[in-house]
Amino acid sequence: MGRFLVLILVLGAVLVAGVPASAATSTAPSFAATKHYATGGGPAGVAAADLDGDGKPDLATANYLDGTVSVLLNHGDGTFGPGHGYPAGLGVIAVAAGDLNGDGKRDLVTANTWDDTVSVLLNKGDGSFNAKHDYEAGAGPLGVALADLSGDGKLDIATADDDLGAVSLLVNKGDGTFQPPRGFETAPGPDAVAIGDLNGDGKLDLATANGVSSSVSVLFGKGGGEFEHRHDYEAAGGFPTLTLGDLNGDGKPDLAVSGAEGLFVLANHGDGTFGQARVYSAYGAVASGDLDGDGSADLVTSSARVYLNRGDGSFRAPVEYRGGGGDVAVADLNADGKPDIVTGGESSVSVLINTPGLCNVQSVDGRHDARVTTLAAAKQILARGHCVVGKVRRAFSKDVRKGVVLAQSPKFGAVLPGGAKVNLVVSKGRKK
């Protein structure tokens, strides 16, 4: 089902409806100007992990259009060397990193949606990789995650199999090779999978985001690589992704699912069951991390849209930064203790380094933005990016109604010193 939707994520996600004008100014982080690094074609999946053993997160991308994995090694300061491409399967859509063969080095696994396989690339020890070994997965794998699901101390592979309507488990034989897959039924159309102990019993559970059924499925682990019948909850549809994390500070993993219908946040009742979702306007992939250093996990969606946690699992109006429109990852790339953001693009990754004290110019231009932004709202939106309104000029417009911002300078994405001014043009309406 729905593999044509892959190209939507690969070529860029479209953010939908706007920012409430009444939202209060937040203590949002600021980010240095975005840097772009070339990858293979269509990096649909992004992973950040230390691949060469120097203690700094490197980057790996699953390149859908050319069937490769690109590895970009960190120079140690959050900048990256040229990508090195490794052949993987057909329709590489997701990538995960972990030590599969017990040698202390992180290996790579890709989900290959068009040939129903996963590719395993074992690390040579220096951030370069051996030729892939392919293993059969379920039909149409779109997501992949690694964890010790069988309880033997070795990382196993779980895939979200869109066409099969199941999550498949490939148990590690102990040396980085894998047994044939076993499927566990989910709601229709699983597009992503995540792993964590959701009910606090010490056994790892599975969660899948299901695009066809606009749901998330939770399968409780019984130990030994076995799982109970699923429990389904309403969530985002339209090729969703998901992340697990304690969003409300109660010590239990909550769920965040992002897709075409928005960003759905489901709070854990404490026993692995979930309440009705809170819904926020968003589209595309989702990741989590404490971006503002307040001790609560925040959320980031495609195009580097940041939702700051109020501390109780509810989220402030988003602050937008200039990133790619595909997958997203959060990691401290330059070892300064502050999480940074990586997003995928058409043939590159975008890296945003968390840098306090900057003005990240927000979009308030009514001619190029779906929002209808008044001057009062523009002041609030710009303040969330640590910018202020500068000169305001009024001009007639036949397209933009009176009182709405119709132009700004500088444009969205500019990075300036904190408190920098953004000049606006406000419509006077049609000239009579």
Side-chain angles (χ1 to χ4, degrees):
M1 157 273 158
R3 294 186 190 180
F4 69 94
L5 290 173
V6 169
L7 290 179
I8 296 175
L9 181 58
V10 170
L11 297 178
V14 177
L15 298 173
V16 295
V19 178
S22 60
T25 299
S26 73
T27 56
S30 58
F31 292 86
T34 305
K35 293 185 177 180
H36 306 281
Y37 298 90
T39 66
V46 178
D50 179 13
L51 300 176
D52 60 359
D54 66 353
K56 305 294 191 302
D58 308 299
L59 302 178
T61 65
N63 305 319
Y64 176 79
L65 295 180
D66 60 16
T68 64
V69 177
S70 291
V71 173
L72 294 83
L73 297 181
N74 195 331
H75 290 149
D77 58 358
T79 64
F80 293 84
H84 187 98
Y86 298 90
L90 184 62
V92 183
I93 191 66
V95 61
D99 181 8
L100 300 176
N101 57 358
D103 65 354
K105 305 296 181 181
R106 288 184 173 91
D107 311 301
L108 297 175
V109 180
T110 67
N112 311 317
T113 190
W114 289 113
D115 58 13
D116 302 334
T117 65
V118 293
S119 293
V120 173
L121 293 84
L122 296 179
N123 197 328
K124 294 180 180 178
D126 58 358
S128 63
F129 291 82
N130 290 300
K132 70 183 177 79
H133 191 109
D134 292 341
Y135 298 88
E136 179 185 355
L142 291 177
V144 63
L146 307 179
D148 178 14
L149 295 170
S150 61
D152 64 355
K154 304 294 183 181
L155 295 183
D156 307 304
I157 300 172
T159 61
D161 302 324
D162 182 80
D163 291 350
L164 184 63
V167 58
S168 290
L169 171 62
L170 289 76
V171 173
N172 196 328
K173 294 178 180 178
D175 58 358
T177 63
F178 292 85
Q179 298 177 14
R182 292 185 295 122
F184 299 89
E185 184 182 15
T186 68
D191 295 321
V193 59
I195 303 171
D197 183 4
L198 299 176
N199 58 358
D201 66 354
K203 301 181 182 68
L204 291 176
D205 311 306
L206 297 172
T208 63
N210 314 310
V212 171
S213 51
S214 297
S215 67
V216 60
S217 295
V218 173
L219 294 80
F220 292 138
K222 297 192 291 187
E226 298 292 337
F227 296 89
E228 296 179 7
H229 182 75
R230 74 180 196 266
H231 302 268
D232 297 334
Y233 303 89
E234 182 182 0
F239 205 63
T241 67
L242 80 162
T243 187
L244 306 182
D246 180 12
L247 301 177
N248 58 5
D250 66 355
K252 304 294 182 180
D254 307 301
L255 297 172
V257 183
S258 181
E261 298 164 356
L263 171 62
F264 286 59
V265 177
L266 295 87
N268 194 330
H269 289 151
D271 59 358
T273 63
F274 293 85
Q276 185 174 356
R278 287 176 170 168
V279 184
Y280 302 85
S281 176
Y283 187 90
V286 63
S288 63
D290 182 9
L291 293 167
D292 58 358
D294 67 353
S296 297
D298 308 305
L299 297 175
V300 186
T301 61
S302 293
S303 297
R305 209 179 207 206
V306 173
Y307 295 76
L308 292 179
N309 197 328
R310 291 190 174 97
D312 59 357
S314 67
F315 293 84
R316 300 182 186 275
V319 184
E320 300 182 45
Y321 305 90
R322 188 176 292 282
D327 198 18
V328 60
V330 175
D332 180 7
L333 301 176
N334 60 350
D336 65 353
K338 295 183 287 293
D340 309 301
I341 297 173
V342 183
T343 64
E346 292 187 14
S347 57
S348 66
V349 287
S350 301
V351 174
L352 295 83
I353 298 297
N354 196 334
T355 306
L358 299 175
C359 155
N360 291 108
V361 177
Q362 302 295 293
S363 175
V364 294
D365 184 343
R367 292 183 302 184
H368 299 95
D369 196 289
R371 294 188 294 257
V372 177
T373 309
T374 64
L375 178 58
K379 290 178 179 178
Q380 293 187 356
I381 294 169
L382 291 170
R384 286 198 287 271
H386 310 294
C387 311
V388 299
V389 172
K391 295 178 180 179
V392 178
R393 184 170 63 86
R394 311 254 175 193
F396 290 108
S397 172
K398 65 179 181 179
D399 300 316
V400 179
R401 68 174 175 83
K402 184 178 180 179
V404 172
V405 176
L406 59 86
Q408 68 180 88
S409 178
K411 299 294 186 182
F412 165 70
V415 180
L416 306 169
K421 295 180 179 180
V422 178
N423 299 321
L424 303 177
V425 180
V426 177
S427 174
K428 295 168 65 175
R430 287 180 176 268
K431 188 174 183 179
K432 296 180 181 180

